[in-house]
Structure formats: structure tokens, C-alpha cells
Amino acid sequence: MSKLKIANHNPGRKLFSSKIASVVVWVTTVIWTVPTLGLLVTSFKEDKDIVNEPWWVSLFNPNFTLSSYKGVLFGGDSESLSNGVLPYFINSIVITLPATIFPIVIATMAAYALAWIRFRGSDFIFFFIFALQIVPLQMSLIPLLLLFTGGAHIGSVTIFPALGLAGDFAGIWLPHTMFALPLAIYLLHNFIASLPRDLMEAAHVDGANHFKVFRMIVLPLSIPGIAAIAIFQFLWVWNDLLVALTFASGTEEVAPINSKLASLVGQYGSGYTQLSAGAFITIAVPLIVFFSLQRYFVRGLLAGSVK
């Protein structure tokens, strides 16, 4: 009873549940949304209208056109829009979907093995994987690219053969998967390890092996954690430019849409509508993914935090 009374009189909980906190949240949300609204309105305007009037004037005197989206997607008169961004948009989808699915599949199986299959050195492997998160991504890009293209050799002895994946989609999927695994395994391990032990033991008593337990029990119960990690991984890969450019090796056929957006701006900073349309096309897909999975988001963020 005393604990309940203390919880009810928690000043922090009372503050964050007050009307003032709600007003602050709403005001912050509106301020945060205004630039996105301005970007959307600008993408439906002509270049001359952007120069002559502020974007919010169009809300009261609308004069919109789809010419910027048509030019950005399918090509326009300018050299930077000769082919449009549609091929690069498809490249981003081809890059992002496998680079999201592969690490989640591997991390889920690894997290279950480290959480519920006891073997010698399992704790060391888990802490080693956790420690890999401190390695900066930027420090490993060039060594990893050299390893992919030239392999590793000691004298005349080949330790790691050249994979020849640079400039190919597989050469982009692999580093994205490698960089995502440490954090994904750590978060999913905490979620899966918090599942009821009685449930696992009952399944083993009924004759279920580890694969059946993983498929029939762990996967359905881990959907919130998997969905949360999928959102983070999808957003990271979709918005990534550094890793994709490094391992695409300048190959236009596998370059993501972000690499094309920079070329939409003219030499003197013109092309505002094209850039706005291209940017909004880029952010539309992550928004769809987030709102589709947002019901799992908070539950996934709290993975393993409570029993």
C-alpha cells in the first residue's frame, strides 16, 4: 500500500501527465512539423513563385502544380534531371529491404541461441558482440572495402579471398548487415531473455526442439522487438549515403536516391522545387514504414526492461 501511495504522489509522473506538459508537447510537435509542411508546399510550386512569395501564402492562395514531381521522377529538361530519380528510388528499395531483413533474421536466431542455449563461452561471445558497438563505422569502411576488393594476404598466403562485390548490390547489403548486427543482437537478446522460463521448459517437456521453440514461441512473442529494430534499421539504411557510396564504388546502377538529390541543385543554388520534390519523395517511404509499425514501436523500445 505504501509503494502504491508513493507512486501516486510521484512528482515527476504528475508533472508529465499534467495539461501543461500536453500543451508543451503539442507546441513542440507543431514547430517540428512546420519545416516539413513548408517542404511539401514548396514541392508543389513553381520556381518563380518561390522567389516572389513565402511558402505559407500558398496555403491561402493555392497555385499548385505536379510538374516538379513529374520532372524529378521521370526526367526533365535540365541535365541533372535527364533520367529522373525513379531508377535511384528503385535502387534504394532494392538496397534497403534485404539490408533490413538479413540482419534481423540473423540477429533473432543469434539472440535466441545466446539467451536460451547455454554453451561454453556464450557469455564471452555476447559481451564481445556488445563491445563491437563502440567501433566507429567510419573507421571500418575503407579497411572493409579493401578486404572485399583485394582480400587479405600474408606474403603469398591468402587468408581471405577477394569477394569482388564492390559496385554490386550484394556489396552494399553485406556491410549494412555487419554494422547492424551488434546492436540488433543486443536488443533482441534482452527481449528474448525476458520471456517466461516456464513457457520454454514446458515446450521442451512436450518434446519440442530448439528450432520448434524458436519458430512457435519465440518469434510470435518477439514481434514488438523485431518490429522496433526493423524500423530503426530501415530508416538507417534508407537515409544512408556514406556506406552506399563507398561500397557502390561510383557505380550509377546501384547508387541510392540520396546520391541523386545533391545533383538536383543547380550550380548557383537554383532548382528549389526539384530538390523539395525529391526530398519529399525520399522521406515518404520511411514515414509509411514508421506509421505502419508504430503500434509495436513503444513496446519494442521497452524490450527486456520489465518482467
Side-chain angles (χ1 to χ4, degrees):
M1 182 65 68
S2 60
K3 291 183 178 180
L4 181 61
K5 184 180 295 186
I6 292 175
N8 292 333
H9 290 82
N10 190 333
R13 182 177 181 179
K14 185 177 180 180
L15 175 63
F16 287 109
S17 61
S18 63
K19 293 182 178 180
I20 297 178
S22 300
V23 172
V24 171
V25 170
W26 275 105
V27 171
T28 305
T29 302
V30 171
I31 295 175
W32 194 271
T33 308
V34 165
T36 305
L37 178 61
L39 181 69
L40 177 62
V41 173
T42 302
S43 66
F44 288 103
K45 298 176 65 176
E46 298 284 352
D47 286 334
K48 58 182 180 64
D49 295 331
I50 296 177
V51 176
N52 295 331
E53 62 183 20
W55 64 265
W56 53 84
V57 175
S58 298
L59 297 177
F60 308 98
N61 185 22
N63 185 18
F64 298 138
T65 177
L66 294 174
S67 59
S68 297
Y69 284 93
K70 182 179 178 181
V72 168
L73 284 173
F74 305 106
D77 298 331
S78 62
E79 182 179 354
S80 61
L81 287 175
S82 58
N83 297 321
V85 302
L86 187 58
Y88 300 88
F89 182 83
I90 297 175
N91 287 346
S92 290
I93 295 177
V94 175
I95 291 172
T96 306
L97 289 181
T100 302
I101 296 173
F102 292 161
I104 289 178
V105 172
I106 298 173
T108 306
M109 293 187 292
Y112 171 74
L114 293 173
W116 292 103
I117 303 177
R118 304 307 301 173
F119 56 92
R120 180 174 298 179
S122 60
D123 292 336
F124 172 78
I125 294 175
F126 173 71
F127 288 116
F128 177 76
I129 293 174
F130 174 74
L132 289 176
Q133 298 180 62
I134 67 175
V135 179
L137 181 149
Q138 294 81 0
M139 291 183 59
S140 57
L141 287 179
I142 299 305
L144 192 59
L145 179 62
L146 295 176
L147 187 66
F148 283 0
T149 56
H153 309 275
I154 298 179
S156 59
V157 179
T158 301
I159 306 300
F160 188 88
L163 299 179
L165 296 178
D168 197 359
F169 284 118
I172 305 177
W173 298 335
L174 189 56
H176 274 306
T177 301
M178 297 169 63
F179 293 137
L181 280 177
L183 180 60
I185 292 175
Y186 171 71
L187 294 178
L188 284 175
H189 175 274
N190 292 344
F191 191 95
I192 294 175
S194 65
L195 298 178
R197 179 174 295 275
D198 295 341
L199 187 61
M200 302 294 183
E201 293 176 349
H204 287 298
V205 169
D206 290 339
N209 54 23
H210 283 295
F211 177 75
K212 191 171 184 179
V213 171
F214 175 77
R215 182 172 59 91
M216 302 296 293
I217 298 177
V218 174
L219 278 182
L221 295 178
S222 302
I223 291 298
I226 294 174
I229 295 174
I231 292 174
F232 283 121
Q233 178 67 6
F234 187 94
L235 294 180
W236 174 54
V237 178
W238 182 268
N239 294 322
D240 171 72
L241 178 62
L242 180 61
V243 174
L245 283 184
T246 301
F247 290 91
S249 300
T251 305
E252 291 289 326
E253 287 75 10
V254 299
I257 189 174
N258 291 335
S259 65
K260 187 64 177 177
L261 289 182
S263 64
L264 297 181
V265 183
Q267 181 179 0
Y268 300 103
S270 59
Y272 301 111
T273 56
Q274 290 83 4
L275 183 60
S276 300
F280 204 83
I281 291 172
T282 303
I283 69 175
V285 174
L287 287 177
I288 293 173
V289 172
F290 176 79
F291 286 115
S292 300
L293 300 176
Q294 59 89 22
R295 59 175 177 166
Y296 299 112
F297 189 64
V298 175
R299 291 164 59 189
L301 289 179
L302 298 176
S305 61
V306 294
K307 283 287 186 180

